[in-house]
Amino acid sequence: ARHVIKEHSKSVISCPVHPSQDYVATISSDGMWAMTDLAVGETAFTSSAGATTQCAAFHPDGLLVGLGCSDGIVRIWDFFQDAAAADLSIGKKGVSVTSLSFSNNGYYLAATGAEKVFLFDLRKQKVFNTFDLAASATSCCFDNSGFYLAAGDEKGAITTYYAKSKPFKKLATIHEQADAITGLKFGPNASCLAAASLDRTLTVYSI
């Protein structure tokens, strides 16, 4: 192994990479998150979001990181200042934020919690739209153009949306996987969508 980073006392549950590709954030069930320099394998700092962090995503500008917490708050963290820049609520107390994804221009943030997808306008720092899913939401992802959004649930269904219409337009629901969707990622130009699942499959769908 090139580097082995041991900064947490419990399981590491997520590790998003900074847009510069120079750093990685590790999110742990111990309630802490850390930023590590990939070149040297040294942790720049560790911090707590104030509630157990469930997921994280970097803003495209690289200056901010979104932390999805167990108290229904998305904490926007300025990691250079090591301080919270804003707290965004999904409006459901006691509901964990399970995944986050920023649009390519950084204007929008998608968050999942319970059986919903919440869309934040970061310029106004509030939810402007929500989508209902058939089961608890587990994952979401914007494509690199910001035109498309996908959300997966605990039953293995994936719903796609067109993100350039107002409001966002539902396109289709796919249900070919037998268990919870654990990760989603669009391919180049949204030509395909890769979906990882607890059913032990990685399925690549044509768009």
Side-chain angles (χ1 to χ4, degrees):
R2 181 176 176 181
H3 303 301
V4 178
I5 313 301
K6 295 183 178 181
E7 289 292 335
H8 300 288
S9 61
K10 294 184 179 180
S11 301
V12 174
I13 56 179
S14 181
C15 56
V17 175
H18 188 267
S20 69
Q21 309 295 306
D22 293 331
Y23 297 93
V24 62
T26 50
I27 312 303
S28 173
S29 56
D30 63 7
M32 304 296 291
W33 67 284
M35 285 288 295
T36 296
D37 186 320
L38 286 170
V40 297
E42 294 182 358
T43 298
F45 65 82
T46 60
S47 188
S48 169
T52 303
T53 306
Q54 305 293 310
C55 55
F58 283 104
H59 190 275
D61 69 8
L63 302 176
L64 304 170
V65 60
L67 303 171
C69 301
S70 58
D71 58 0
I73 297 296
V74 179
R75 190 144 289 135
I76 305 299
W77 200 270
D78 183 329
F79 76 90
F80 286 112
Q81 298 296 324
D82 191 21
D87 281 354
L88 310 176
S89 174
I90 64 173
K92 287 182 171 289
K93 292 183 178 180
V95 173
S96 294
V97 179
T98 54
S99 68
L100 297 172
S101 182
F102 288 97
S103 63
N104 66 324
N105 58 13
Y107 291 167
Y108 302 122
L109 171 65
T112 58
E115 298 174 351
K116 290 183 180 291
V117 181
F118 301 86
L119 295 172
F120 290 92
D121 186 327
L122 294 177
R123 296 163 293 183
K124 299 178 181 179
Q125 297 187 14
K126 66 179 183 179
V127 173
F128 71 93
N129 205 352
T130 61
F131 301 118
D132 292 323
L133 300 182
S136 293
T138 55
S139 185
C140 65
C141 180
F142 276 103
D143 80 303
N144 287 336
S145 71
F147 277 68
Y148 299 99
L149 171 70
D153 69 30
E154 67 177 0
K155 297 292 183 64
I158 301 165
T159 303
T160 55
Y161 305 89
Y162 182 63
K164 288 299 181 180
S165 63
K166 293 184 178 180
F168 286 19
K169 179 183 178 182
K170 180 179 176 179
L171 296 177
T173 297
I174 308 164
H175 197 171
E176 296 185 11
Q177 288 166 277
D179 209 336
I181 302 298
T182 56
L184 293 167
K185 192 70 174 179
F186 282 96
N189 302 314
S191 59
C192 61
L193 176 65
S197 171
L198 287 181
D199 68 2
R200 298 178 292 177
T201 66
L202 172 66
T203 303
V204 181
Y205 299 97
S206 297
I207 303 297

